[in-house]
Amino acid sequence: MIVKRLRQKNNWSQEQLATMSGLSIRTIQRVESGQSASLETLKSLASVFETDVSKLTEEINVIDKQSEKWKEQPWLIRYMLFGIRTRVALVTTEITFLIIGIVLLYADVENRWVISFIFAAYFTGLTIRHADNKGLWDI
């Protein structure tokens, strides 16, 4: 959940966030692990982070291309993610390549086109997994 990222961005411990929000540490742990939270809990956290409750309930995955993590990535990964900011956009691209490849396969199109789209889907998937594993998606 986004609460953990906001807490880490502010360099707060779970104990500090619990104190500032008036919640228990256990509640903070549950919310950060993705378990559901009451509206009152979300209001308390939104107040501490000075944001809307709706912001806390949505999961936003974008790449901060100014970060050191981004600059440490191989040029090929940075190239593959050029112009892509959100994980959703990249997953959509992966699925699109795969669907086109499958359609071309059944349409009896030349093998090179089928292979090209299937390979593009596979390579896009690898890029997504790399970004996931390296923690590139940020708030």
Side-chain angles (χ1 to χ4, degrees):
M1 190 172 205
I2 201 166
V3 172
K4 182 175 183 177
R5 292 185 187 151
L6 289 170
R7 177 180 60 78
Q8 290 173 337
K9 188 175 182 181
N10 287 299
N11 293 318
W12 296 337
S13 67
Q14 288 180 334
E15 293 80 13
Q16 289 172 313
L17 179 57
T19 301
M20 289 185 284
S21 64
L23 301 169
S24 70
I25 295 172
R26 181 67 189 124
T27 300
I28 300 297
Q29 291 170 341
R30 280 197 311 268
V31 170
E32 286 188 359
S33 71
Q35 295 179 22
S36 61
S38 70
L39 183 57
E40 292 304 315
T41 297
L42 292 174
K43 284 181 180 179
S44 296
L45 292 169
S47 175
V48 171
F49 292 121
E50 298 176 352
T51 190
D52 296 326
V53 171
S54 61
K55 171 94 173 169
L56 298 179
T57 58
E58 65 185 29
E59 190 66 36
I60 302 173
N61 289 316
V62 295
I63 296 176
D64 178 7
K65 294 188 177 176
Q66 306 303 319
S67 72
E68 287 303 314
K69 271 186 190 178
W70 171 253
K71 294 174 184 173
E72 293 170 356
Q73 298 309 306
W75 70 269
L76 184 59
I77 296 297
R78 289 182 296 176
Y79 175 77
M80 285 294 295
L81 295 171
F82 181 78
I84 303 281
R85 288 195 41 83
T86 65
R87 187 179 191 281
V88 171
L90 199 56
V91 170
T92 303
T93 303
E94 175 188 24
I95 292 169
T96 303
F97 283 147
L98 186 59
I99 290 171
I100 292 171
I102 291 170
V103 167
L104 292 177
L105 178 67
Y106 285 106
D108 245 2
V109 176
E110 290 182 44
N111 279 344
R112 66 183 174 148
W113 289 108
V114 173
I115 292 170
S116 296
F117 279 99
I118 300 294
F119 178 76
Y122 176 74
F123 197 69
T124 304
L126 287 178
T127 304
I128 293 168
R129 294 341 161 251
H130 177 84
D132 288 346
N133 292 337
K134 296 296 182 179
L136 295 181
W137 309 109
D138 198 6
I139 302 170

